Amino acid sequence: HRALRPVLPFQARRPDSPPIAHCMAAAALHGAAAAAVTAADTGSSSVGLRGAAPAWRGLPLLPPPTHCLRGQVAAAAAVAAGALAVAGAVPHRAARTAARAFARSGAGGGRRADMVGSSRRMPSSLRVAGAPLPAAGAGAGAAQAVPMERLEQDRRQLPWGCLRGVYCVNLDRRPERWAFMQSQFARLRLPVRRWSAVDGQDVDIHMLADGGLVNPKALSRYFLPDEMKLFGVDLTAGGVGCALSHMQIWKDVVENFPDEGKSWFLIVEDDCQFTSDFDEDCLSARIAQVPDDWEMVFLGGADLMRRQAALEVAPGVRRLYRGFRETTAYLISVAGCKACLEVSVPMSWQIDTHLTENEVELEGGLSYTVKPRGYCLFPPLVEQERDRFKTDVQKQEHD
């Protein structure tokens, strides 16, 4: 981790760098208020993992989210803070301060808010949990604790309650792409966390190899002229940055949601175009067709070898195989994040190659990916917006 600090300038900021309002935004709408407030209260700037420390665990963390929701998020933040205080998870004073700070931010003052609220009515139990807080200094044990199961049920009644978290990967030097995604998120009323992507142009590939994140044997092909590289397979500067960005998100999920089981996390890239019929009901209906053993479900992608139709397991659902490419948008579980990290480090190829190369063979010459246990949707719910945006990853544009 220390070896990578001079190379990757995106270490975790101290929690007091952005206002507590921004932490509470993601906390209230993604069910992580306890972690956010606790981190702010203790001054902790990083979270460690137990057990062995493979190379991916040295990935630096990005700052806390700096983009929040307008509209109902102020109420949601107050709700989360109130519920936590009632449950005795955080001091009443800290919870009340967080709620007030966010209310000021979401009401039009303060820093920019880049996510959209919803007009859906707040569940009654959450409104009760967000009732006026006891006076500062009152004993938390005097109030009856709110069962975590009840809070989780109420969270699922909020807009996009099927998703535990949403991440959008975006380079800081690509604000036009973020604006493109914001317009879609606003239309969908989809709360999302912007993830500042790793810029491969600023990465020292030799230091990544020394740190175990890149296979040293891949360096010879990394430095080949573009015309000699295998399109979509060999590492490029943009491909390395893309891979590290996704790996950091997987690491963030594993560290912050370790016991979430089958919770869904949506990860999208900033050139993702959602189909016109995409919404929460559509996504839920399509995922209901996917076998229960899934760890990763791509909402779209490219079948380069034209063989995926033979791997259909349910209407509109196909298994992954080595001919599948793209990471435009996908659902993933905590187990899926762990599996993706395990198969992607050290990097020898572009990230989508690693995600599909662990296969089992079937009769007739077919094969499918088993780690991560993945599927893709067809017809897709997303596609890459290639007309408006040029590639930041490949050596040339797609055919």
Side-chain angles (χ1 to χ4, degrees):
H1 190 127
R2 287 193 296 271
L4 295 180
R5 287 184 178 177
V7 186
L8 306 179
F10 36 83
Q11 301 296 319
R13 294 179 191 159
R14 293 187 57 78
D16 54 358
S17 178
I20 186 66
H22 294 265
C23 297
M24 285 301 298
L29 289 150
H30 296 294
V37 176
T38 301
D41 190 49
T42 61
S44 174
S45 59
S46 63
V47 181
L49 287 172
R50 298 186 180 91
W56 62 263
R57 290 185 177 174
L59 285 170
L61 289 176
L62 282 177
T66 57
H67 304 285
C68 311
L69 290 169
R70 300 184 192 273
Q72 279 192 332
V73 288
V79 162
L84 287 168
V86 170
V90 296
H92 294 300
R93 185 184 300 275
R96 184 165 55 187
T97 301
R100 287 176 176 172
F102 186 81
R104 289 195 297 271
S105 172
R111 308 178 75 172
R112 185 180 64 183
D114 285 326
M115 296 173 67
V116 181
S118 169
S119 60
R120 189 179 299 187
R121 188 178 182 186
M122 190 74 69
S124 59
S125 59
L126 280 183
R127 292 197 300 273
V128 172
L133 298 175
Q144 183 177 1
V146 178
M148 293 306 297
E149 294 81 2
R150 175 74 174 277
L151 294 177
E152 176 63 17
Q153 291 173 2
D154 289 333
R155 184 190 66 80
R156 290 184 176 276
Q157 295 181 45
L158 294 171
W160 294 94
C162 63
L163 299 177
R164 195 68 173 87
V166 184
Y167 298 80
C168 180
V169 182
N170 172 243
L171 283 167
D172 292 342
R173 56 183 172 89
R174 292 287 185 259
E176 73 284 359
R177 292 190 177 209
W178 176 235
F180 168 72
M181 296 306 301
Q182 280 182 297
S183 65
Q184 296 187 82
F185 296 139
R187 173 178 60 82
L188 295 168
R189 295 177 176 171
L190 178 60
V192 62
R193 175 180 178 182
R194 177 187 175 272
W195 194 270
S196 181
V198 179
D199 195 332
Q201 303 294 334
D202 298 332
V203 169
D204 186 326
I205 193 69
H206 290 290
M207 191 167 290
L208 289 180
D210 292 341
L213 291 176
V214 171
N215 188 342
K217 296 180 179 180
L219 295 184
S220 60
R221 298 199 61 82
Y222 178 86
F223 289 107
L224 286 175
D226 283 347
E227 59 271 16
M228 297 179 65
K229 290 187 176 183
L230 293 175
F231 179 85
V233 177
D234 283 324
L235 289 175
T236 62
V240 171
C242 176
L244 290 174
S245 301
H246 284 272
M247 289 160 64
Q248 285 190 329
I249 293 175
W250 301 334
K251 179 175 183 281
D252 185 74
V253 170
V254 171
E255 289 188 337
N256 291 299
F257 305 92
D259 302 317
E260 290 296 319
K262 203 59 177 179
S263 292
W264 302 0
F265 298 85
L266 175 62
I267 301 174
V268 300
E269 296 178 341
D270 59 7
D271 58 354
C272 171
Q273 175 69 64
F274 294 101
T275 58
S276 58
D277 61 340
F278 180 82
D279 59 20
E280 184 177 6
D281 293 336
C282 174
L283 178 62
S284 297
R286 294 292 299 273
I287 297 302
Q289 299 293 322
V290 181
D292 291 337
D293 65 350
W294 71 266
E295 296 175 334
M296 192 175 198
V297 179
F298 287 88
L299 305 190
D303 179 10
L304 301 183
M305 299 170 64
R306 304 292 191 269
R307 300 172 64 182
Q308 205 159 22
L311 296 172
E312 186 166 278
V313 296
V317 182
R318 300 173 175 181
R319 291 189 183 274
L320 296 185
Y321 81 117
R322 68 182 64 185
F324 180 86
R325 291 294 185 273
E326 287 186 21
T327 52
T328 304
Y330 56 89
L331 288 177
I332 195 167
S333 65
V334 176
C337 289
K338 294 177 181 178
C340 288
L341 286 166
E342 290 170 2
V343 303
S344 301
V345 178
M347 284 185 285
S348 298
W349 317 104
Q350 292 190 25
I351 192 66
D352 45 4
T353 300
H354 284 296
L355 296 180
T356 59
E357 65 182 353
N358 293 277
E359 297 186 313
V360 295
E361 300 291 334
L362 300 175
E363 294 182 3
L366 290 175
S367 60
Y368 65 89
T369 305
V370 294
K371 187 175 183 178
R373 196 172 297 109
Y375 301 86
C376 74
L377 302 182
F378 187 86
L381 292 177
V382 301
E383 62 182 15
Q384 277 187 315
E385 176 50 78
R386 296 175 180 171
D387 294 334
R388 185 179 308 190
F389 304 120
K390 303 302 181 183
T391 181
D392 286 323
V393 174
Q394 305 301 342
K395 63 178 184 177
Q396 64 190 45
E397 296 300 324
H398 296 269
D399 294 332

